[in-house]
Amino acid sequence: CISISHKIINEDEQLESFDPTNIPTPEEIKAYLDSVVISQDDAKELLSVVAYNHYKRIFFAEDGIEIEKSNVIMLGATGSGKTLLAKTLAKKLEVPFTIADATTLTEAGYVGEDVESVIERLLNQCNWDIAMVEKGIVFIDEIDKKARSSESNTNTKDISGEGVQQALLRLVEGTVVEIAEGGKAQQQKGATIEFDTSNVLFITAGAFVGIDDIVTKRLSKGSKVGFKGVIDSKKPEIKYDPEDLIMYGLIPELVGRFPIITKLDDLTEEQFVSIMKNSKRSVTKQYQELFLLDGV
């Protein structure tokens, strides 16, 4: 009991140590991300600036001037570092952080987790300290698995795809939601608390397999064929627009709540070697530690 109490006190002190007058600069955040995550410089720079501006917006926004949230959506293949980036960012800022898997979410009233369970997880991180949790970060992975399918039967209710996207709108845009106090286990008692998501930073991510084909098709719309056609042998630089995500299957309303779009590059062989040698999370270092435990 003593050791558990000591751990709880230390955790509370660590979270309460977030000083709004001493928010890390983008350079400091980027340097910390560099020490953990190899490559992905564009994504790290973007996240550093977004996080800095987000917490400046919370603590120092002038009265009467409302600055909108800059929620982020990250595109990248499995293993490119999406989850690690978000987790490392929260660790640097010393704010509550939770990871949710979009594939487990369904509309309220159906078997599965509803979107409010994402906030419950965040509350559990801080023993339901509302003031602290309202300044946390929520990371929702596999959001691309909730994309609408044009081939789906329109006569059946889509409880886990578009329905979940619509349910997420309330949380992401910044509104007051009611959550059963103490979680779903206490729901029958009827006590609820109000939670304001206006200052919660939402970061979503997904592999979005096949979205490059959508972008290529959009970029090639203006090309001509025939005697007057101009052949451009250069491969166009792929830049992702909100309309690409809409074409993929995300609803326009949800895409509009994520103004920041960033793409994580596929890792090269040299980068894989660098991760194995230099990263703090290197698997080789983990195995060295495992062997040392056995005296090897």
Side-chain angles (χ1 to χ4, degrees):
C1 290
I2 293 171
S3 62
I4 292 172
S5 302
H6 183 264
K7 182 181 178 183
I8 292 172
I9 292 170
N10 285 342
E11 286 178 352
D12 289 343
E13 287 176 352
Q14 182 181 7
L15 290 172
E16 290 172 2
S17 66
F18 182 78
D19 183 6
T21 62
N22 190 29
I23 299 172
T25 64
E27 290 82 4
E28 291 171 343
I29 299 172
K30 169 71 163 53
Y32 186 78
L33 293 175
D34 283 337
S35 69
V36 179
V37 184
I38 303 296
S39 75
Q40 311 298 1
D41 286 331
D42 291 342
K44 287 189 286 192
E45 287 179 7
L46 187 141
L47 282 175
S48 300
V49 174
V50 165
Y52 177 77
N53 288 339
H54 177 73
Y55 287 101
K56 284 288 185 182
R57 159 190 172 273
I58 292 175
F59 295 109
F60 300 108
E62 296 290 336
D63 293 335
I65 302 175
E66 186 174 349
I67 303 173
E68 292 295 329
K69 276 199 298 183
S70 295
N71 297 313
V72 182
I73 186 163
M74 294 193 291
L75 292 71
T78 302
S80 55
K82 303 184 296 294
T83 306
L84 182 58
L85 273 173
K87 191 182 296 184
T88 308
L89 178 69
K91 186 175 181 181
K92 173 62 178 175
L93 295 170
E94 295 182 347
V95 294
F97 174 76
T98 189
I99 299 174
D101 192 334
T103 57
T104 64
L105 300 178
T106 59
E107 284 187 56
Y110 292 88
V111 175
E113 295 183 277
D114 53 35
V115 293
E116 279 77 12
S117 64
V118 174
I119 301 300
E120 285 183 21
R121 290 182 190 178
L122 198 61
L123 287 162
N124 288 329
Q125 295 287 327
C126 293
N127 199 22
W128 292 69
D129 182 350
I130 303 295
M132 190 67 204
V133 177
E134 284 181 347
K135 300 174 181 62
I137 296 176
V138 170
F139 179 77
I140 303 175
D141 203 4
E142 308 289 356
I143 191 65
D144 56 316
K145 305 302 186 292
K146 295 301 177 185
R148 301 185 286 191
S149 174
S150 58
E151 301 169 1
S152 63
N153 188 351
T154 55
N155 295 325
T156 59
K157 186 171 177 61
D158 183 11
I159 64 168
S160 66
E162 183 179 349
V164 172
Q165 293 188 51
Q166 292 171 346
L168 281 170
L169 288 176
R170 296 183 303 117
L171 294 183
V172 173
E173 69 182 350
T175 186
V176 177
V177 294
E178 286 193 356
I179 297 175
E181 188 173 358
K184 285 189 175 181
Q186 305 295 326
Q187 199 164 10
Q188 63 272 17
K189 296 183 179 179
T192 59
I193 60 171
E194 291 187 342
F195 186 92
D196 188 0
T197 63
S198 300
N199 293 330
V200 176
L201 180 62
F202 286 87
I203 302 174
T204 63
F208 289 91
V209 177
I211 196 171
D212 285 357
D213 297 334
I214 296 174
V215 180
T216 304
K217 189 181 294 185
R218 172 174 59 82
L219 293 175
S220 62
K221 275 183 181 178
S223 62
K224 297 179 180 179
V225 294
F227 292 111
K228 294 183 179 180
V230 178
I231 299 175
D232 187 1
S233 60
K234 294 181 180 178
K235 188 177 181 180
E237 182 183 355
I238 292 182
K239 291 185 178 179
Y240 298 89
D241 286 346
E243 66 176 276
D244 299 324
L245 298 174
I246 295 170
M247 287 293 294
Y248 191 86
L250 297 187
I251 60 176
E253 297 88 346
L254 186 64
V255 174
R257 267 92 173 161
F258 289 89
I260 309 297
I261 302 172
T262 183
K263 175 71 165 66
L264 275 70
D265 301 322
D266 294 338
L267 296 173
T268 63
E269 184 177 343
E270 291 77 13
Q271 288 168 343
F272 273 119
V273 173
S274 180
I275 289 170
M276 305 243 337
K277 286 184 175 180
N278 306 321
S279 172
K280 289 182 178 179
R281 300 284 296 272
S282 167
V283 69
T284 53
K285 292 179 181 177
Q286 294 177 36
Y287 272 98
Q288 285 174 355
E289 186 65 26
L290 283 172
F291 280 124
L292 281 173
L293 295 174
D294 291 326
V296 179

